[in-house]
Amino acid sequence: DFTPTKRPQDPPEASGGADKFLRFLQEELMPYIASTYRISQDKTLVGFSHGALFALYVLFHQPDSFNRYVAGSPSLWWGNKVTFEHEQRYAAEHRELPAKLFLSAGTLEEPGFANVQELVKILEKREYIGLQWQSYIFEGENHGTVASAALCRGIVSVFSTKH
């Protein structure tokens, strides 16, 4: 559900479902929640690893789906780094990216750490109008140890008035 592309070695429904999952969120889950509960229109998407890969997929395909994005240790290696292609296509058509983003990784994550650093450099150069973002590198943390810190710091970051 979280991955944007299929892997040839996977069974047909085992990968590549990001577009279907986003449609489910937009057309079924979020309308159901809105009709059942009193909610704000301020929406946040939080993900770690493949969930963070999905959050970035949404950010670069339908950014207005959510106001805030937390992407902890995103699996940017997925699909030969397809997220970088998604960002490049988005940038070719848009100067604005109205969202708040928190992006992080641990220094002991490979290739995660290097990939997050690469995306940070791209975002710094793009200077998207409306994008308020922060990145954080967790020293001495690996993929297994960084999750809770990344998600907690990410929530604080995207709800902070300081950016």
Side-chain angles (χ1 to χ4, degrees):
D1 289 344
F2 290 153
T3 59
T5 57
K6 292 185 182 296
R7 291 190 313 182
Q9 69 269 33
D10 288 344
E13 295 299 316
S15 60
D19 58 337
K20 287 188 219 172
F21 189 57
L22 178 56
R23 273 197 311 277
F24 163 75
L25 291 177
Q26 292 174 327
E27 297 171 10
E28 294 181 47
L29 184 61
M30 292 182 348
Y32 170 79
I33 291 170
S35 70
T36 307
Y37 303 100
R38 195 177 77 195
I39 62 167
S40 163
Q41 292 304 305
D42 187 351
K43 299 177 184 107
T44 303
L45 182 58
V46 178
F48 182 80
S49 192
H50 281 43
L53 175 70
F54 177 73
L56 293 173
Y57 172 84
V58 176
L59 180 67
F60 296 129
H61 283 83
Q62 294 186 28
D64 59 339
S65 299
F66 296 89
N67 306 86
R68 305 163 198 275
Y69 294 82
V70 175
S73 300
S75 301
L76 294 172
W77 53 266
W78 183 271
N80 293 320
K81 298 169 68 168
V82 70
T83 299
F84 292 94
E85 294 173 29
H86 295 160
E87 186 281 331
Q88 188 173 29
R89 270 188 252 139
Y90 184 86
E93 297 179 11
H94 304 89
R95 279 290 304 130
E96 294 186 3
L97 185 54
K100 287 185 101 173
L101 169 66
F102 178 80
L103 181 63
S104 67
T107 57
L108 302 180
E109 295 186 83
E110 282 304 328
F113 174 62
N115 289 335
V116 166
Q117 286 184 309
E118 183 179 349
L119 184 55
V120 163
K121 287 177 186 172
I122 290 168
L123 293 176
E124 287 172 345
K125 286 181 186 176
R126 293 279 189 235
E127 296 182 346
Y128 285 111
I129 298 166
L131 179 63
Q132 298 175 33
W133 68 283
Q134 179 183 32
S135 65
Y136 192 85
I137 301 302
F138 292 90
E139 189 67 39
E141 300 288 344
N142 64 41
H143 201 66
T145 63
V146 74
S148 59
L151 298 178
C152 288
R153 187 174 291 248
I155 294 286
V156 169
S157 174
V158 298
F159 282 95
S160 171
T161 56
K162 300 175 189 175
H163 261 280

